[in-house]
Amino acid sequence: MRSTGSRTITRASDRPPSSPPALYRLDPGTGEIAVAASDFAGPNGLAFSPDESRLYVAETGDQTRPDPEQLIRVFDVGPDNRLSGGEAFHKISPGFCDGMTVDEDGNIWSSAGDGVHCIAPDGHLMGKIRTPRHVANLTFGEVRRNRLFIGASDTLLAIFLDRRGVPFP
């Protein structure tokens, strides 16, 4: 959700009765849902940069294919909430990005097959927090937003960091 109240939603399945895989935007004023980007095979987690000028979207690909395209894409967000760009930003390995969150410095914290990956705003891997299980989702919490909560398979992990998560609107 952006500070304007606008919500961006992913839809990964094209099985009936759902809509095709795409990135959708909900306008809080009108309640209208519109396609924001339709060139996805399996959009999943998403996060905005701290200033909300960029939107990161996990492309988990078509899971019915033997080698689905799996990467994080980045879009520029215009003042009218329209998206442009959508180029490849970072490829998670091992595994793929499912969920992600952003810190106040604009670093992206992504789920991965070997734990959590911290990715700089320019797309390079800064480091990893290795976990004993595959990570699906994560978020910053606590009063100072400096504790990273990690959903890993059947386990909830938490670690204090010297970074603070971006506050929710």
Side-chain angles (χ1 to χ4, degrees), residues 4-169:
T4 61
S6 171
R7 297 175 190 262
T8 306
I9 307 159
T10 59
R11 182 71 181 158
S13 175
D14 62 354
R15 292 183 210 128
S18 69
S19 302
L23 189 62
Y24 295 88
R25 181 181 171 276
L26 170 65
D27 184 310
T30 65
E32 178 183 333
I33 297 175
V35 173
S38 60
D39 60 339
F40 283 94
N44 204 327
L46 50 85
F48 284 99
S49 62
D51 65 0
E52 300 180 346
S53 66
R54 301 180 93 192
L55 174 64
Y56 303 96
V57 181
E59 168 66 271
T60 55
D62 181 346
Q63 299 298 300
T64 64
R65 297 188 182 266
D67 190 22
E69 181 177 42
Q70 298 173 324
L71 49 89
I72 299 173
R73 295 174 58 186
V74 62
F75 293 86
D76 292 317
V77 182
D80 60 354
N81 293 317
R82 294 199 188 277
L83 302 180
S84 60
E87 60 273 358
F89 173 73
H90 184 84
K91 170 85 170 127
I92 296 292
S93 182
F96 56 90
C97 177
D98 186 356
M100 67 182 107
T101 191
V102 177
D103 69 28
E104 289 180 328
D105 296 322
N107 301 309
I108 296 88
W109 297 78
S110 171
S111 61
D114 60 350
V116 176
H117 292 193
C118 181
I119 306 153
D122 68 2
H124 82 271
L125 179 65
M126 293 174 57
K128 298 181 180 185
I129 300 172
R130 296 196 187 270
T131 62
R133 292 179 171 69
H134 176 86
V135 172
N137 217 328
L138 57 160
T139 190
F140 283 97
E142 296 265 334
V143 175
R144 292 186 178 97
R145 299 182 320 276
N146 67 335
R147 191 170 189 185
L148 188 64
F149 290 91
I150 304 164
S153 298
D154 60 352
T155 305
L156 178 63
L157 307 168
I159 184 171
F160 284 102
L161 301 170
D162 65 353
R163 302 277 187 227
R164 291 170 33 121
V166 174
F168 288 104

